[in-house]
Amino acid sequence: MLTETLESIQQLLDEKIFMQDTHYNVIFGDEKLLMKFDDELHFNDEILDNPSAILFYPIRNFNHPDTDGILAIFSIKKYYLMLYGKLTPSESHSSTYLLLKLYQRYRAILKIINNDISENNGLIDIAPPNDSLSLLEYSSQLQTHHSYSDEQTLLSSIKTGDKQIVINAYKQFHIHNAYESFLAMKNNRLRHEKNMLIIIATLCTREAIQAGVNDKKAYLLSDQWINTIEKHTSVENIINQNVRLNILLNFTSLVKTKKYSKLSHLIFEVQTYIQIHIYENLSIVKIAKQFKYSQNYLSTQFKKETNETLKQYIIKTKITEAKRLLLSTQLSLMDISTLLNFKDYTHFSHTFKRITGTSPKQFISTKKY
C-alpha cells in the first residue's frame, strides 16, 4: 500500500522520492541511485535515529556536471523519507527556495501517507498543516527577504579563505535581509534555529568542497557541527555564541589551510573539535578521552605536527574567538570571559594580554583584529 501511494505521488512531482526503513532497507526508489547518495554523504546514524530529524545534504555535480542538488531526509515513524531536488541558477530558485520546496513536499506526502488528504485531480495540496506558519507565504516573500544574489555573495566569500571578508559579507547579508525567515514553527523557535544552522552547515560544506577542500574533511566538519547544533538547549545560547557566523568562519579556516596543511587525520579532527567546542571547558584529559588516546600520545603527536602544545592551541583559539566577539557583538568583557569558560575575568584579561600584547579594553579601543 505504501509503495503504491509513493508511486502515485512520484508521478506528480519533479523531485525523486526514496524511502528506507530504520534498518536501511529500501522500500521505494532506485536503490542504486540511493546507494550512490549514501556513499557520497556518509550519513550520521545518531542524528538519523532522532524521530524528528530533518536533514539537508548537498549533492555536487550529480547526473549533470553543471547541476547541483539537495537531498532532504525526514523521519516518518519507522521510515526515512528522502527527497532529491535540483538547484537552478534562477533567482527564484535559490538553495533556500529549494529547501523550502522540499519541506513543503514532505509535509504533503506525510499527510497523504496518513490518509489525511488525497490527490485531487492529479494535484497535491502542499498547504502546510495548521500547526506551522504558512510556508507558501514564506516562499512568496523570499525575493524580499532572502535574495539568491545575497546568499551567493555570502557563501562564495568562504572560498576566499579570508575571515575578515566573510565577516563583512555576513554583516552585509543581515543588513539586506533583516527580516529573513525560514521554517519557523510556532511555539518552537529552538527547532527553527537548529534547522537554520543545519542548512548553513550543509551549504558551507558544498562551498568548501568546491574550493578544493577534501570531501571527507568537509563532511567530517559538517557532521561535527550537526552534532553540536542538536545539543543546544536554548535560542539564547545560539545567539550569544553567534553560531551561524562561527560555522561560516570554521569552513573558511578549512579553505585557508587546504593548500598547505600536512596534518594527519587525527590532529585535524582534534583541531576541528576544539574550534567547534570552544565555548566549553576544554582540557587535555577531556580531549584525549573523546578521541580514545592517552594524554601523553595525543599531546606528543599534536606538538610534533603543529609545533605548539595542545594547551597553547586551546588558549590561542579561545583568544581568537574573544577578539571576534569583542569586535562583532555588544557582549561585555565579563560575558565573554564567562562564555569562553575562563576561571574569572582576571584570568581572561591576563591571558588575553599575554597572547595579544594588549588588554581587552585596549584592544577594543584600537580595533585590532
Side-chain angles (χ1 to χ4, degrees):
M1 181 65 181
L2 176 60
T3 302
E4 293 176 357
T5 300
L6 290 172
E7 284 178 351
S8 65
I9 292 172
Q10 181 70 87
Q11 295 175 2
L12 304 175
L13 300 180
D14 296 331
E15 296 79 22
K16 293 185 182 297
I17 299 176
F18 308 92
M19 181 81 84
Q20 284 182 320
D21 61 22
T22 51
H23 299 292
Y24 306 107
N25 298 311
V26 178
I27 306 300
F28 181 81
D30 185 336
E31 187 167 3
K32 290 183 179 179
L33 186 60
L34 188 56
M35 286 177 62
K36 190 167 184 179
F37 285 138
D38 192 27
D39 290 342
E40 183 173 342
L41 299 178
H42 310 292
F43 297 133
N44 187 305
D45 292 340
E46 181 180 339
I47 299 299
L48 283 176
D49 287 340
N50 182 342
S52 61
I54 299 177
L55 305 178
F56 301 96
Y57 285 88
I59 301 294
R60 295 184 62 250
N61 300 329
F62 196 84
N63 288 334
H64 193 285
D66 299 320
T67 303
D68 285 343
I70 292 177
L71 184 68
I73 306 175
F74 309 95
S75 291
I76 299 180
K77 297 180 180 177
K78 60 180 181 178
Y79 300 108
Y80 299 131
L81 172 69
M82 305 182 190
L83 300 176
Y84 169 66
K86 294 182 180 179
L87 291 171
T88 73
S90 166
E91 185 169 302
S92 63
H93 289 79
S94 67
S95 53
T96 301
Y97 186 93
L98 176 57
L99 290 167
L100 180 66
K101 181 180 176 184
L102 292 175
Y103 184 83
Q104 290 173 303
R105 299 304 200 216
Y106 151 66
R107 297 309 291 260
I109 292 171
L110 178 62
K111 294 188 75 175
I112 292 175
I113 290 175
N114 292 335
N115 295 318
D116 293 331
I117 63 172
S118 59
E119 298 91 337
N120 180 22
N121 297 323
L123 298 175
I124 290 181
D125 177 10
I126 62 172
N130 293 330
D131 63 351
S132 72
L133 296 179
S134 174
L135 296 177
L136 289 175
E137 180 182 354
Y138 273 47
S139 66
S140 69
Q141 297 175 352
L142 279 175
Q143 293 308 302
T144 302
H145 294 208
H146 188 135
S147 75
Y148 179 74
S149 60
D150 287 341
E151 176 189 300
Q152 290 304 300
T153 298
L154 175 58
L155 291 174
S156 63
S157 67
I158 294 172
K159 296 176 182 177
T160 67
D162 189 319
K163 287 187 176 182
Q164 194 57 55
I165 290 177
V166 173
I167 291 171
N168 293 339
Y170 183 79
K171 290 178 179 178
Q172 287 300 311
F173 179 87
H174 283 284
I175 290 173
H176 296 160
N177 301 276
Y179 304 100
E180 172 259 351
S181 301
F182 186 79
L183 301 186
M185 302 304 171
K186 282 183 177 178
N187 305 319
N188 199 344
R189 174 76 188 281
L190 178 60
R191 184 66 260 169
H192 159 66
E193 289 296 333
K194 288 183 176 182
N195 286 344
M196 282 298 303
L197 295 174
I198 290 171
I199 291 166
I200 291 169
T202 300
L203 297 176
C204 287
T205 301
R206 187 181 71 198
E207 294 298 318
I209 292 173
Q210 289 177 349
V213 170
N214 178 273
D215 292 30
K216 290 183 179 179
K217 288 187 176 182
Y219 285 124
L220 170 65
L221 182 55
S222 177
D223 287 343
Q224 290 193 3
W225 266 116
I226 290 172
N227 274 309
T228 300
I229 290 164
E230 290 295 343
K231 291 177 182 177
H232 277 285
T233 57
S234 74
V235 175
E236 183 180 9
N237 282 343
I238 291 174
I239 294 173
N240 285 342
Q241 296 178 17
N242 209 343
V243 178
R244 293 189 185 190
L245 180 55
N246 275 338
I247 294 173
L248 290 162
L249 294 177
N250 212 177
F251 277 95
T252 302
S253 295
L254 193 60
V255 171
K256 182 179 180 179
T257 60
K258 73 178 177 64
K259 291 183 178 179
Y260 55 84
S261 177
K262 297 181 180 179
L263 299 179
S264 65
H265 186 69
L266 170 61
I267 301 306
F268 170 80
E269 282 195 82
V270 170
Q271 286 190 343
T272 301
Y273 179 85
I274 291 170
Q275 292 167 14
I276 292 176
H277 297 269
I278 198 60
Y279 288 94
E280 298 177 15
N281 184 19
L282 294 171
S283 67
I284 297 175
V285 175
K286 181 178 180 179
I287 295 170
K289 184 178 180 180
Q290 170 71 24
F291 289 93
K292 298 180 174 59
Y293 284 96
S294 70
Q295 297 176 52
N296 183 58
Y297 175 82
L298 194 60
S299 297
T300 300
Q301 197 65 23
F302 193 93
K303 178 68 181 296
K304 179 181 177 181
E305 294 189 30
T306 66
N307 203 33
E308 63 182 339
T309 67
L310 194 49
K311 184 176 180 180
Q312 287 172 336
Y313 183 81
I314 293 171
I315 294 299
K316 182 184 74 174
T317 306
K318 282 184 176 289
I319 294 303
T320 297
E321 178 63 6
K323 288 160 65 179
R324 188 189 66 77
L325 292 173
L326 287 170
L327 295 181
S328 63
T329 73
Q330 298 300 314
L331 293 172
S332 68
L333 295 175
M334 186 66 72
D335 287 339
I336 293 174
S337 170
T338 302
L339 270 175
L340 290 169
N341 262 285
F342 283 90
K343 293 178 183 178
D344 49 43
Y345 174 72
T346 301
H347 179 223
F348 167 64
S349 182
H350 287 171
T351 304
F352 191 98
K353 187 170 184 177
R354 175 168 57 83
I355 298 295
T356 67
T358 183
S359 70
K361 291 182 180 179
Q362 290 172 330
F363 175 81
I364 293 174
S365 64
T366 56
K367 299 293 182 182
K368 293 181 181 177
Y369 191 78

